[in-house]
Structures are given as C-alpha cells and as structure tokens.
Amino acid sequence: MDNDNNTPAGKEQETSPRGEYFAPKLELSDSTREVFEKYSKIPPNEVLPHVYAIREKAWSIHPYPCIGLGRFLHMGIGTHRLYHTEILPRMLTGEQSYLDLGCAFAQDIRRLVADGVDSKMCYASDLQLDFLDLGYELFRDRESLRSRFIAADVFDAGSPLMELEGKIDIVDASSFFHLFAWEDQKRIARIVVKLLRAREHSLVVGRQIGNQEAGDYGQRDGQGTRYWHNAESWKKMWKEIGEEVGVKFEVEVVTRSMAEELGRAMQRPEDEKGLGMEFSVRRLS
C-alpha cells in the first residue's frame, strides 16, 4: 500500500542535536522504496544506508529543512491528485514535456521515469545545480537518464531556461513560489506562462506551504519576507496574471494543516495556522 499521503519521510518525534530541521530517523513510503529498488536497482537492505549517506553529503552542502527532514524523498508529483488521472497518462504519450522548476535532486523526474516516461521529455531547472551529481548518485542513473538540467535564475530573461519558452506542457513548481514575496511570485507566474505552450490544458502543478491568513512572513534566516498564500489569495494572484496576459486559468487548491503536512511534532506556535497546499493551474484559453 502506498502511504505517501500519510507518512512523513522524517520522524520528527525524535530531536536531533543538529536542530529541529534534522530528523535522526527517516522512513520511506512504499512508492519511494519501489523507485530505489526497481528503478535504481538498489538491494532492499541497502536502500536506507544509501539514503542516509547521500543525505549527509547534501546536508554538508546546504543544511536545508527539506534535506534534514528527508522531504526530498517524497517524490510529491506521484501523490498529486492529478498524477494517475492526467499527468502520467499525458507524459506516457511521449508527446508532452515536463519541467521541474526548482528541482533540487530532481526526484520527481525519477518518479515519472520509473513509471515509464521518456526521460528526454523531462527538463529540470534550479538556480544552482548543487545537487545534480548527488541526484545521479542517489538514483544511480548517471548513464541512463537523458533529462536536460538547466542552471538558471528564473528572473533572468536571458537565461537558458527561456530556451524552453512555449515548449512545456506541464510545469511542476513544488516548494517554489512560497520562497518569494508577492511581487516576485507574480514575476515567476508570468515567466511560467511564457514557458507553457499557448494552448488549452497547459498545466502548472505542485505543493507549497501557505497560511490560513495569507500575507508576508519572515524568512527563517531573518533576511526578508516571503508571501504565504491561502486558497483565495492563490486564486486571486492567478486571476490577476490571467487578466494581464489575456489568458483564462482554472485554479484548484486542496489544503491541509501544517501538522498534517510536516508532522505534528514539527508544528511550532507560529505555524498554528500554517497550511500545506496542493494546487493545479490549468490554462483554459
């Protein structure tokens, strides 16, 4: 049974001397373990030691919460409500293209490829491809994966990312928009619209952190703010973008509490109204 939806990768009930964003013990969902065993061909008894070793290397580069808590192991695209009904079937035609925006290890591409998608139809981009080599090492597919990885600043109109303008059918923007302030999110949304094919059913999907009270929230490092949405503000932003570019979008959002999203022991008082948001933004015109 696939338990991605209810089993966090990190058991936050245990406290690590490295801080609240490092889980001493990791657990893998059935679907994640399947990728490592069948796609990466790692023997079952070697999977967890392998994952711990790669996490140590990644943590030494960037001690991000998603690394310490094992969130990079979730392969969230596979649990999106549209995955089995639309995303995967569209990609299996071999005629659709997919972009993982802010890819980190590009674990979602591995989920797609493990499910039969042609890796040449998958692209991934991040500001710096710090985790590219670690991704190959994690999934043991350096010689077989044919996806294109692009190092690019999403705000740079002259970056290599814009070579994909008008060529992408599905953009996966998980854990990306919520890193930025409102106006920067609108800039990103405009760029995403440019990357998408200008036709009906071009799609933006993903997950992000939000809050019941949409607004500006301080960065964890104390440097600046980021805008966390609720369902209403997320729809409002895309309505504004649609009006600017003359395109109609259908926006759907499913929310759950921060406790459900990250694990109850990780819920801090300031996160009491926090949300996990799964979204889809579909071009209708």
Side-chain angles (χ1 to χ4, degrees):
M1 178 179 176
D2 187 337
N3 56 6
D4 267 335
N5 284 322
N6 52 31
T7 301
K11 283 291 190 179
E12 290 84 22
Q13 286 79 2
E14 299 181 47
T15 301
S16 168
R18 303 192 194 193
E20 63 176 320
Y21 298 116
F22 190 94
K25 183 179 180 181
L26 299 177
E27 290 189 359
L28 303 182
S29 69
D30 293 342
S31 64
T32 295
R33 179 172 283 278
E34 179 185 50
V35 171
F36 285 118
E37 293 179 7
K38 295 184 178 180
Y39 171 74
S40 302
K41 297 180 173 56
I42 300 174
N45 64 326
E46 296 179 15
V47 170
L48 271 176
H50 174 68
V51 166
Y52 281 123
I54 300 301
R55 182 178 67 160
E56 284 297 322
K57 291 184 179 182
W59 184 260
S60 70
I61 298 171
H62 289 301
Y64 295 148
C66 63
I67 302 300
L69 298 178
R71 299 285 294 175
F72 68 99
L73 300 169
H74 278 196
M75 304 183 200
I77 191 68
T79 62
H80 194 283
R81 69 190 184 284
L82 296 181
Y83 184 70
H84 290 289
T85 59
E86 181 174 1
I87 296 170
L88 182 59
R90 285 174 61 173
M91 291 302 300
L92 286 174
T93 66
E95 299 175 353
Q96 300 267 294
S97 55
Y98 166 93
L99 170 65
D100 187 348
L101 188 61
C103 63
F105 287 86
Q107 63 271 16
D108 284 342
I109 283 181
R110 271 62 177 218
R111 173 75 271 171
L112 285 162
V113 176
D115 286 338
V117 171
D118 184 349
S119 64
K120 289 186 292 186
M121 302 305 291
C122 298
Y123 301 84
S125 177
D126 215 327
L127 181 61
Q128 295 177 315
L129 298 179
D130 295 357
F131 297 122
L132 176 59
D133 284 337
L134 285 176
Y136 285 132
E137 189 174 349
L138 179 63
F139 293 102
R140 297 184 176 177
D141 59 0
R142 186 183 299 273
E143 302 304 320
S144 60
L145 191 71
R146 294 293 178 263
S147 301
R148 180 183 173 190
F149 293 88
I150 303 169
D153 181 344
V154 71
F155 298 114
D156 180 0
S159 79
L161 181 63
M162 299 315 296
E163 295 173 13
L164 301 179
E165 184 172 350
K167 298 178 180 179
I168 301 298
D169 296 284
I170 301 171
V171 172
D172 181 355
S174 289
S175 301
F176 192 67
F177 279 91
H178 69 206
L179 300 174
F180 301 94
W182 171 271
E183 287 301 326
D184 282 341
Q185 289 190 36
K186 291 188 71 174
R187 291 172 64 194
I188 294 168
R190 295 184 192 105
I191 292 163
V192 167
V193 173
K194 289 182 179 180
L195 293 171
L196 288 171
R197 294 190 195 276
R199 65 187 184 191
E200 191 176 13
H201 297 302
S202 287
L203 193 63
V204 185
V205 297
R207 283 183 170 82
Q208 62 191 14
I209 298 301
N211 199 284
Q212 294 175 34
E213 297 179 359
D216 295 320
Y217 290 85
Q219 298 281 6
R220 293 191 186 278
D221 62 6
Q223 303 296 313
T225 62
R226 51 195 168 177
Y227 191 92
W228 279 1
H229 288 276
N230 56 24
E232 291 72 25
S233 69
W234 182 245
K235 292 177 180 179
K236 177 178 181 290
M237 187 185 81
W238 281 99
K239 184 175 186 295
E240 291 180 4
I241 294 298
E243 290 171 348
E244 287 181 19
V245 300
V247 173
K248 186 175 181 180
F249 296 104
E250 176 186 69
V251 181
E252 296 183 346
V253 181
V254 176
T255 63
R256 59 180 185 168
S257 71
M258 185 80 82
E260 293 175 294
E261 185 72 10
L262 298 180
R264 292 189 179 277
M266 282 303 301
Q267 188 178 18
R268 306 177 306 168
E270 57 265 45
D271 291 333
E272 182 179 352
K273 294 184 178 181
L275 298 172
M277 298 175 58
E278 179 188 272
F279 61 83
S280 63
V281 181
R282 184 186 306 275
R283 180 172 177 143
L284 298 181
S285 63

